[in-house]
């Protein structure tokens, strides 16, 4: 369900947070849908269960998920728009950072291998 890139400079908990919110934004994770257990997620993405639990506590505080004691973790109500807004904001910031790095290196943003059909 979620994928973590262990070679990325982005911390694993941030990647997991983004994955959950992106799944909500895309509709792959529907409101009130039960998520796998903390241990199942930790095993599937090769993370410490404490890291996964901490990530989901933050998601719960922000209203993206809720916990039902003895039943598990569920996607929150109306999280599709919240997830979309988060992803747009995060990706826009990343794109701005890429533009700045390219400019600093004297590379045109059009010369970067972004998207299908470019690059290697």
């Amino acid at each position: 369900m979620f994928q973590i890139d262990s070679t990325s400079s982005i911390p694993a908990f941030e990647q997991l947070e983004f994955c959950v919110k992106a799944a909500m934004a895309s509709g792959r994770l529907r409101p009130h849908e039960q998520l796998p257990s903390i241990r199942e997620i930790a095993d599937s993405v090769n993370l410490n269960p404490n890291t996964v639990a901490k990530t989901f506590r933050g998601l719960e505080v922000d209203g993206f998920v809720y916990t039902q004691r003895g039943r598990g973790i569920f996607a929150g109500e109306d999280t599709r728009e919240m997830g979309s807004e988060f992803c747009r904001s995060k990706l826009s910031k990343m794109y701005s950072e890429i533009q700045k790095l390219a400019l600093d290196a004297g590379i045109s943003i059009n010369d970067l291998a972004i998207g299908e059909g470019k690059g290697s």
Side-chain angles (χ1 to χ4, degrees), residues 29-45:
L29 189 56
R30 297 177 309 280
H32 307 292
E33 183 176 341
Q34 186 170 12
L35 284 92
S37 72
I38 296 293
R39 181 154 308 280
E40 289 171 331
I41 293 170
D43 288 345
S44 73
V45 296

Side-chain angles (χ1 to χ4, degrees), residues 3-111:
Q3 292 184 331
I4 303 299
D5 180 358
S6 61
T7 64
S8 174
S9 63
I10 300 170
F13 76 92
E14 285 185 24
Q15 292 182 57
L16 181 57
E17 175 189 38
F18 187 86
C19 287
V20 172
K21 291 177 179 180
M24 291 173 174
S26 70
R28 287 179 287 135
L29 189 56
R30 297 177 309 280
H32 307 292
E33 183 176 341
Q34 186 170 12
L35 284 92
S37 72
I38 296 293
R39 181 154 308 280
E40 289 171 331
I41 293 170
D43 288 345
S44 73
V45 296
N46 199 28
L47 289 177
N48 184 306
N50 292 330
T51 300
V52 175
K54 177 183 173 187
T55 302
F56 276 89
R57 279 193 300 274
L59 288 166
E60 187 165 19
V61 167
D62 292 342
F64 285 93
V65 299
Y66 63 93
T67 303
Q68 288 186 349
R69 191 170 196 91
R71 293 200 57 220
I73 301 171
F74 297 82
E77 179 80 28
D78 298 327
T79 53
R80 188 168 191 163
E81 185 58 36
M82 289 170 51
S84 291
E85 181 56 36
F86 172 84
C87 291
R88 273 192 296 274
S89 173
K90 185 82 166 176
L91 292 170
S92 178
K93 182 180 177 195
M94 292 169 74
Y95 184 73
S96 294
E97 290 172 3
I98 290 169
Q99 284 181 309
K100 183 188 179 316
L101 290 170
L103 181 64
D104 289 349
I107 299 170
S108 163
I109 197 73
N110 294 328
D111 291 338

